[in-house]
Amino acid sequence: MRRIGTVVLAGLLTACAGQPSTQLRGTGDLGIVIERAAGSVQIVEHSHNTTLARVEGLGDLSHASVVFSRDARFAYVFGRDGGLTKIDMLTAKIDKRIIQGGNSIGGAISQDGRLIAVGNYEPGGVKVFDADTLELVADIPATTVADGSRGSRVVGMVDAPGQKFLVSLFDTGEIWIADFSKSNTPKITRFTNIGDQPYDSMLTPDGRYYIAGLFGEDGMALLDLWHPEKGVKRILDGYGRGSEKLPVYKMPHLEGWTVAGDHAFVPAIGRHKVLVMDTNTWQQTGSIDTVGQPVFVMARPDARQIWVNFAFPDNQFVQVIDSETHEILATLEPGPGVLHMEFTPRGEHIWISVRDKGEVQVWDTATLKKLHTLPADNPSGIFFSDRAHRIGL
């Protein structure tokens, strides 16, 4: 009987793998590449740098983001059209899909993997779903804007330790903590007057500090989750004082901020600079001149290098910065329309989406040489499954 059971289990596992392969495989080297114009995604693997399958029918993916289930089998794709799609990466099929809002800007998965939260532009507010079934668990309306016409747009959605979600409210200048640790009816803690137009946010890798960038003024807002009773602190206040901003063609993405050692490296809005902060004091200690306006500022997993891409008209470039000396190590030119980058889990490679060339490139981070090219239809976001085990992603 034991032998029969083993054979049956092996058969079931093989069947679960389904398409695109009948062979057993794990999920630790899988990932999703967003094909924004086509409303599709590629399922890829980074052990051999190949595409495994394409999944279609995901709607508007012009600002799509992805989180993963804790077993890293399922990818949850947040579409700009309010779509929330659960993809089984082993069968390369849509497991479930709902339209939960009119315009959403991102989401997060809870610490225990049970809940999926979505921040919405329209109708505003936060909706929380069961990760298994995508059934609605909680609907949290946003603060109404001053003219009473609608709820505030919600941005900067992250998960945090203690079964919490954090968001920023763009139109009303707030940060919220939604605590689901006691039940599916959350306790909401609101911090008001945190600054003008918080547009995105990051959570430090240890899950302690939530930082919101401010589009309406030069500065950022910091909340210490170990001591929320101390309220929100302003940092980098007036960092561009005395200099004129350039037109902003693409907003920086603060989930691409990076912490390396005792320093944080962040994009300066409307400026050709990466700002450097001491994370002990959260004061600016320097700045690094760059070839364009930074969008993503990302540290290699060992934090030895900082990789930066840029907004139009300089979006053909990527620069590599030494995190210790702050010197530019290289200015690379993958091609026009570099939109996103993703390191492999241990940092030996970085994948770069090059929209206007219709390809994803794989670069060696030691030699700074291009290794592989994968064709893709207007690729944008790249998300690897190791994100399932990292806080704030």
Side-chain angles (χ1 to χ4, degrees), residues 209-232:
Y209 295 102
Y210 179 83
I211 304 171
L214 303 176
F215 184 69
E217 56 187 296
D218 287 343
M220 299 175 187
L222 178 144
L223 176 63
D224 184 348
L225 296 181
W226 289 9
H227 299 287
E229 71 281 357
K230 294 183 178 179
V232 174

Side-chain angles (χ1 to χ4, degrees), residues 59-370:
D60 184 353
L61 299 183
S62 58
H63 195 286
S65 60
V66 179
V67 299
F68 296 91
S69 59
R70 70 186 290 146
D71 64 1
R73 176 172 177 172
F74 296 99
Y76 299 86
V77 182
F78 307 96
R80 192 60 183 262
D81 58 359
L84 170 57
T85 307
K86 180 183 179 183
I87 295 175
D88 186 331
M89 293 193 295
L90 292 184
T91 64
K93 294 179 180 178
I94 292 176
D95 183 82
K96 291 179 178 65
R97 174 172 166 79
I98 61 172
I99 301 297
Q100 59 78 43
N103 186 338
S104 62
I105 200 69
I109 187 166
S110 62
Q111 185 177 38
D112 65 2
R114 292 190 306 106
L115 302 174
I116 301 290
V118 188
N120 285 309
Y121 268 22
E122 295 175 9
V126 175
K127 289 186 178 179
V128 181
F129 300 89
D130 182 282
D132 252 350
T133 64
L134 298 191
E135 293 178 357
L136 186 65
V137 170
D139 188 350
I140 310 168
T143 304
T144 303
V145 299
D147 65 7
S149 60
R150 56 178 174 82
S152 174
R153 289 168 283 184
V154 171
V155 298
M157 166 73 73
V158 300
D159 65 282
Q163 198 70 354
K164 298 181 178 77
F165 296 109
L166 282 94
V167 294
S168 296
L169 278 68
F170 179 85
D171 300 293
T172 53
E174 299 174 72
I175 291 174
W176 287 6
I177 302 174
D179 185 346
F180 283 84
S181 61
K182 303 299 184 185
S183 73
N184 285 343
T185 301
K187 175 185 176 183
I188 308 297
T189 304
R190 296 172 172 84
F191 301 89
T192 59
N193 300 313
I194 62 99
D196 190 14
Q197 297 180 327
Y199 69 93
D200 202 357
S201 70
M202 70 161 290
L203 192 70
T204 53
D206 59 3
R208 178 171 180 178
Y209 295 102
Y210 179 83
I211 304 171
L214 303 176
F215 184 69
E217 56 187 296
D218 287 343
M220 299 175 187
L222 178 144
L223 176 63
D224 184 348
L225 296 181
W226 289 9
H227 299 287
E229 71 281 357
K230 294 183 178 179
V232 174
K233 173 184 177 181
R234 178 62 60 85
I235 60 175
L236 290 179
D237 194 19
Y239 61 78
R241 189 175 289 115
S243 61
E244 185 177 352
K245 281 186 181 180
L246 299 170
V248 177
Y249 292 103
K250 186 172 178 61
M251 296 287 278
H253 282 255
L254 302 192
E255 69 268 22
W257 289 11
T258 204
V259 175
D262 290 332
H263 291 93
F265 297 80
V266 302
I269 299 175
R271 292 173 173 78
H272 291 192
K273 289 182 182 295
V274 170
L275 306 179
V276 185
M277 284 188 292
D278 184 323
T279 56
N280 295 303
T281 63
W282 296 106
Q283 298 298 311
Q284 183 177 348
T285 59
S287 64
I288 303 166
D289 292 330
T290 57
V291 71
Q293 293 182 37
V295 177
F296 285 98
V297 178
M298 302 174 65
R300 196 171 68 180
D302 66 353
R304 192 63 185 86
Q305 294 174 349
I306 311 298
W307 288 60
V308 186
N309 74 324
F310 303 97
F312 177 85
D314 303 302
N315 61 7
Q316 72 270 35
F317 297 114
V318 170
Q319 289 191 302
V320 185
I321 299 171
D322 184 301
S323 64
E324 184 176 37
T325 66
H326 301 174
E327 295 178 356
I328 303 291
L329 297 176
T331 299
L332 311 176
E333 194 168 355
V338 171
L339 293 189
H340 197 243
M341 305 175 290
E342 181 86 336
F343 290 99
T344 51
R346 299 195 183 193
E348 74 281 3
H349 296 156
I350 188 170
W351 287 42
I352 300 174
S353 63
V354 189
R355 179 196 59 203
D356 298 346
K357 292 182 75 174
E359 62 189 34
V360 173
Q361 300 176 6
V362 183
W363 289 68
D364 186 302
T365 60
T367 65
L368 305 183
K369 301 295 184 183
K370 184 170 64 174

